[in-house]
Amino acid sequence: MNTTTDTPIRPRGGLLRQRDFRLLWAGETTSRFGSNITGVAMPLVAVVSLDASTFWVSALAAAAWLPWLLIGLPAGAWVDRLPRRPLMLACNLGSLVLLASVPAAAWLDVLTMAQLMVVALLTGLANVFFSIAYRVYLPSVVHREALAEANAKLQGSESAAQLAGLGGGGMLAGLFGAVNGLLVDAATFLVSTLCLLGIRSTEPRPEAPATPRPLRQEVRDGLRYTMSDPYLRVLTAYGTVTNLLLTGYQALLTVFLVRDLGVGASAVGWLLAGASVGGLLGAVVAGALSRRFGSARGMLLCKFATAPFGLLIPLAEPGWRVVLLALGGAVLALGVVSANVIQGTFRQQYCPPHLLGRITASMSVANFGAIPIGSLLGGLLGSTLGVRPALWLLTGGLAVSSVLLLAGPLRGRRDLPTEPAVQEAEVFVSGTPPRTKRGAAVGGRPTAVDQESGGRSG
């Protein structure tokens, strides 16, 4: 995957001994911590400082995810064309300035809801480019064989940052005001920028096509490859459905905790953050599950064994049984994060490098595009059926959603393939669909799927 002479070497003792990965890890973890603070502080600014209505607070949350639907697909094509580190640096600096503008406007007494909406939309736009570029950039920093360890550490620190950020965001807002809490997030983007500048690994230049091709055609290539590949197709469909259900029930949790369970406002953030403890554990066990059961079976185990625990959430009652909500959320997070580690490593190893940005964008648009829809679905169900019945319906859907993973080739494999069919990838980019089924011989040579599954057809 790396073609330069500066291919990173996997050090003895793990990736924490590799300077470039430490910098990338530290910068990303710090930035995630700040983003979770903003996730608490931004709505509080709208409610406390601007007295915004429920509609505008919901619109503010949706604005951060809207760029995935508007520009996610072409963003993947642009990431495949551009050097990733300079792009990530530009996203960080832009987000820093945007977030710092909010407390500056508040101090000058000129802050408006319109400015908050613009800041949420533009920082969401920067996040689209950064998120795609970050996943494509990682294989330039760590050795191919270390991607699983790298993804586990990054997912683990993301869960830790969520735990600290959600809890810390409420505390900072209480001590210094919600507006000033956004300064902490702005500062984390500065730390992330300095860490990126300190990385010494040489990034391979993006492959340029022999003849320039329209952006629309490049976007189409990523979509076609994602939807035609049996592994990527089923993972995308599953991720979209589960994100719809996850965000649907999460949209109801605050109302459920405060109105149905009588939990005080100060404890809500900590109970919601408790799910991140499961995410930390999921990042730790992902590698062991892959080694013990195989990457494909390990991912299926993560999903099938943990999804039913979501049914503990609507069983929560006032008093000690409120812990059932935190326990159910923690086990769900364990399954989500451990499977994300396995899936992220699979995608980075399996996808053709020149298509990785577009494939990542195609999957992310479907997955993240379900988030605002899921929030609206949760609100609609909660309003019409009641909060607890809606939680039963949504968590029940999660409990059985893992069956979708059996619709593809995962059910017949121990391990996920680590390389695509090279000939098939080249045919797709050329614009002519392959004539053979995946898993059959292409050009007289068995595909990677055929070699690893004993001839099973995709």
Side-chain angles (χ1 to χ4, degrees), residues 152-210:
K153 283 182 166 55
L154 289 164
Q155 287 282 343
S157 62
E158 182 177 334
S159 296
Q162 185 178 25
L163 176 63
L166 290 175
M171 183 178 66
L172 287 171
L175 292 174
F176 305 108
V179 168
N180 293 324
L182 294 178
L183 285 176
V184 176
D185 192 10
T188 64
F189 280 108
L190 178 60
V191 173
S192 178
T193 298
L194 294 174
C195 289
L196 282 173
L197 288 171
I199 294 175
R200 297 171 182 169
S201 298
T202 302
E203 179 186 357
R205 291 185 178 181
E207 296 182 19

Side-chain angles (χ1 to χ4, degrees), residues 234-308:
V234 72
L235 290 173
T236 301
Y238 172 77
T240 302
V241 171
T242 53
N243 267 2
L244 191 77
L245 296 170
L246 282 167
T247 53
Y249 93 76
Q250 289 169 354
L252 300 173
L253 286 183
T254 300
V255 175
F256 184 56
L257 283 166
V258 174
R259 295 180 181 171
D260 290 61
L261 304 184
V263 176
S266 60
V268 169
W270 289 110
L271 280 169
L272 296 180
S276 299
V277 175
L280 284 171
L281 182 59
V284 172
V285 303
L289 287 173
S290 289
R291 290 188 295 271
R292 176 65 179 85
F293 301 103
S295 55
R297 292 177 184 173
M299 184 167 63
L300 291 175
L301 178 63
C302 292
K303 295 298 187 180
F304 276 94
T306 61

Side-chain angles (χ1 to χ4, degrees), residues 325-350:
L325 184 144
L327 178 61
V331 178
L332 279 178
L334 187 154
V336 169
V337 171
S338 55
N340 282 350
V341 171
I342 298 172
Q343 182 180 333
T345 303
F346 159 70
R347 186 169 59 238
Q348 290 160 347
Q349 293 179 334
Y350 177 76

Side-chain angles (χ1 to χ4, degrees), residues 27 31 150 190 300 335 345 364 382 387 432:
S31 179
L190 178 60
L300 291 175
T345 303
S364 297
V387 174
T432 304

Side-chain angles (χ1 to χ4, degrees), residues 360-434:
T360 300
S362 298
M363 298 180 73
S364 297
V365 166
N367 293 170
F368 296 154
I371 290 177
I373 299 173
S375 296
L376 293 174
L377 175 65
L380 178 63
L381 292 174
S383 300
T384 56
L385 303 178
V387 174
R388 195 184 294 271
L391 286 174
W392 276 114
L393 185 62
L394 292 165
T395 55
L398 275 174
V400 301
S401 62
S402 302
V403 176
L404 290 172
L405 292 171
L406 301 181
L410 289 171
R411 65 183 183 275
R413 301 187 60 93
R414 181 184 187 276
D415 289 294
L416 293 162
T418 57
E419 293 182 355
V422 177
Q423 291 88 346
E424 184 172 318
E426 292 173 350
V427 169
F428 257 91
V429 173
S430 71
T432 304

